[in-house]
Amino acid sequence: MADRLRVDVAVLGSGPGGSVTAALCAEAGFQTLLLEEGPDLPLDACRHFSGEEIVRKYRNRGLSLAFGKPSISYMEGCCVGGGSEVNRGLYHRTPAYVLDRWAREYQVDALTPDALAPHFDACEARARVAGLPGRAPPLSQRLGDGGAALGWDSMQAPRLFDYASGRKQSMSETFIPQFRRAGGDLMAGTRALRIARTNRRWRVSAVRDRRPLEIEADGLFVACGAVQTPALLRRSGIRHNVGNSLRFHPMLKAVALFSDAVNRPGDPDPVHQIKAFEPRFGIGCSISSPALLALALGGNPAMRAHIAQASDRMGLYYVQNGSGHARVRCLPGARDPFVSVAHERNELEALYDGLRHLLRALFAAGAEAVQPCLPGLPMLRSAAEMDALPASLPRKSASLSSVHVFASCPMGGNQRITATDSWGRVHGVDGLRIADASLMCGPTIANPQGSVMAIAHRNALHAIERRFA
């Protein structure tokens, strides 16, 4: 026999979208249940960006793949707080030109910077968005210096971070405690299998500790992430424009070797970003632990050999854009969905051009050597040696990765290309809403967590005002 629960509102998934939504519903006085497939772990349960964190807090131990030419390896958080627990918390509001395009092409109502401003304000107040106090660490500053030498403006991205306490402002530190204080009930280690509408209520079929669980709710928000949300909907027979438009911010990376230490223990996370070329591509800094350097240089043994003696002089950097158009499909008997990705030539050309710009910036910053993180490509000792690189991105050996996944169930009034209306209500289905990065209509190039939180805040208030109708 299945265990049974009855609540006013169920929210499936506790990442940024789900946590913001659940907190608002609970504070409005609704009996709210927040389900999370992964474990409930404190922020400091393991060292950030460590192998232990990847095993304990990521889906599939960080080894998810969108198959294509080239394929994209992507990471998803799978724990209470979702991706906010494992990312760096870099924060941007959605660029105005992005909102304008979404409003025009997807016919999304009330999606101007002014309309979203109070929702950004509310989320930022709770999550303590802050700029880095003082001078950035050398690894970060080098990218800014290189860009400045070439006449490219850079900026220091704010973060969801409390620099006074040294703690990231993830969902487990902010909106989930707010949800619990409002009387919400969090159930971790619970996987939703299917959803169905019966007798004007939603029924969630789930499993917890290997026991079946049935949940009935008047209102249902699905916030399982941009891959798992369409997978759940498709398993449940809801397929209109669901899982057909998944997008990424795929990255190409490079490692620079400098003459002096840039990568010091205890330094704050790097924050510099070169935004002069957006939306074609954006450039930034990565965490550069020895483990992550080794992972990035898996196909480049010459530079990889320097890690043991010179990791303090090495920095990992990236370029990203909006390449990759993917589909999510469920396979019979498979636990996880199959994700396939195709690329447009001009998008890959832009990404590869971005890599060349990144290499130039690193040499302008004084790098002694730079290694593009693509198998078979040479370690470069000067900008002049860039002429030895292939004329175009080698698709067969390209190693693309992404930590931003979104747009699998886009919102808007244009039902030809959208899965929900402008407020996250699934087309043609009563009482069902999506509340995560799936709703985004395309790439932002900027880090998308701020966009996800503000849109979730906007849509949750809209739902509460209408009592989830």
Side-chain angles (χ1 to χ4, degrees):
M1 287 288 293
D3 296 331
R4 297 184 182 277
L5 292 174
R6 172 76 175 89
V7 295
D8 296 333
V9 180
V11 181
L12 312 183
S14 65
S19 292
V20 170
T21 300
L24 290 174
C25 290
E27 287 189 330
F30 294 98
Q31 183 186 10
T32 306
L33 176 65
L34 178 59
L35 264 64
E36 169 56 48
E37 179 180 355
D40 187 2
L41 299 170
L43 180 65
D44 51 5
C46 40
R47 185 167 53 87
H48 291 315
F49 308 108
S50 65
E52 181 187 6
E53 183 181 64
I54 290 173
V55 169
R56 299 182 70 187
K57 292 190 175 184
Y58 285 79
R59 184 178 299 279
N60 299 328
R61 301 189 175 193
L63 298 175
S64 297
L65 191 67
F67 293 87
K69 294 182 179 179
S71 296
I72 301 176
S73 62
Y74 62 94
M75 291 186 171
E76 298 175 287
C78 188
C79 59
V80 170
S84 73
E85 306 301 308
V86 297
N87 63 26
R88 287 193 287 149
L90 297 174
Y91 182 90
H92 296 278
R93 293 192 176 192
T94 322
Y97 68 85
V98 171
L99 296 177
D100 179 66
R101 182 172 62 80
W102 291 0
R104 283 185 291 103
E105 296 181 10
Y106 291 80
Q107 299 173 15
V108 186
D109 296 333
L111 202 69
T112 64
D114 286 345
L116 278 180
H119 305 291
F120 279 115
D121 290 342
C123 292
E124 291 162 7
R126 172 64 60 182
R128 304 180 191 175
V129 176
L132 178 68
R135 186 172 174 81
L139 186 148
S140 181
Q141 190 63 49
R142 288 283 184 158
L143 182 64
D145 292 345
L150 296 169
W152 305 339
D153 289 337
S154 66
M155 55 92 69
Q156 295 186 39
R159 296 176 64 201
L160 295 157
F161 199 88
D162 182 356
Y163 284 101
S165 66
R167 295 185 71 80
K168 181 168 59 175
Q169 297 300 284
S170 66
M171 296 302 101
S172 68
E173 295 281 299
T174 56
F175 283 94
I176 289 174
Q178 176 185 350
F179 167 72
R180 283 173 156 149
R181 287 193 296 270
D185 186 17
L186 172 63
M187 187 175 290
T190 306
R191 177 179 170 85
L193 303 176
R194 284 178 177 78
I195 60 175
R197 181 77 164 170
T198 58
N199 298 324
R200 303 182 67 181
R201 293 175 181 167
W202 279 97
R203 186 178 72 252
V204 180
S205 298
V207 61
R208 186 187 192 203
D209 297 331
R210 300 184 181 181
R211 288 181 55 84
L213 173 65
E214 296 287 338
I215 300 160
E216 282 193 358
D218 296 324
L220 178 61
F221 293 86
V222 181
C224 304
V227 173
Q228 300 301 321
T229 284
L232 174 62
L233 295 180
R234 294 186 70 86
R235 287 197 305 268
S236 305
I238 302 168
R239 299 189 175 94
H240 177 68
N241 292 329
V242 167
N244 298 337
S245 55
L246 183 70
R247 300 295 298 271
F248 302 89
H249 285 156
M251 294 185 290
L252 289 173
K253 296 180 180 179
V255 173
L257 178 66
F258 296 97
S259 59
D260 53 359
V262 297
N263 189 13
R264 306 173 304 192
D267 274 347
D269 287 358
V271 292
H272 274 84
Q273 296 179 335
I274 294 174
K275 304 181 76 64
F277 306 101
E278 293 182 1
R280 193 163 182 258
F281 57 79
I283 294 171
C285 319
S286 289
I287 298 295
S288 301
S289 67
L292 293 180
L293 287 168
L295 183 63
L297 293 169
N300 308 106
M303 180 65 94
R304 199 171 193 266
H306 288 278
I307 295 175
Q309 300 298 323
S311 64
D312 64 328
R313 296 192 290 120
M314 300 172 75
L316 180 60
Y317 302 87
Y318 67 85
V319 57
Q320 69 180 12
N321 72 354
S323 174
H325 303 256
R327 292 161 60 95
V328 180
R329 292 294 183 266
C330 300
L331 301 178
R335 177 182 176 87
D336 287 322
F338 177 78
V339 180
S340 59
V341 62
H343 302 270
E344 295 184 8
R345 177 179 296 181
N346 66 316
E347 293 174 341
L348 288 180
E349 288 174 351
L351 188 62
Y352 192 54
D353 187 40
L355 178 64
R356 290 176 174 274
H357 280 72
L358 170 59
L359 301 180
R360 287 178 61 197
L362 294 175
F363 281 119
E368 291 185 343
V370 179
Q371 175 65 66
C373 299
L374 291 168
L377 266 59
M379 182 167 63
L380 308 174
R381 295 287 181 178
S382 70
E385 293 184 5
M386 288 172 54
D387 291 340
L389 296 177
S392 59
L393 181 70
R395 289 199 180 203
K396 290 186 178 180
S397 61
S399 302
L400 302 186
S401 61
S402 182
V403 294
H404 302 155
V405 190
F406 42 80
S408 55
C409 304
M411 62 182 172
N414 184 351
Q415 294 196 33
R416 184 178 59 83
I417 56 175
T418 62
T420 82
D421 71 3
S422 297
W423 308 95
R425 294 179 289 198
V426 176
H427 291 313
V429 184
D430 292 336
L432 177 63
R433 288 170 170 79
I434 296 174
D436 60 19
S438 307
L439 288 178
M440 295 169 63
C441 301
T444 61
I445 307 304
N447 304 73
Q449 183 172 322
S451 303
V452 173
M453 294 166 65
I455 291 170
H457 192 276
R458 160 192 184 265
N459 291 358
L461 291 180
H462 182 273
I464 290 166
E465 290 170 359
R466 288 154 183 79
R467 298 189 67 84
F468 313 105

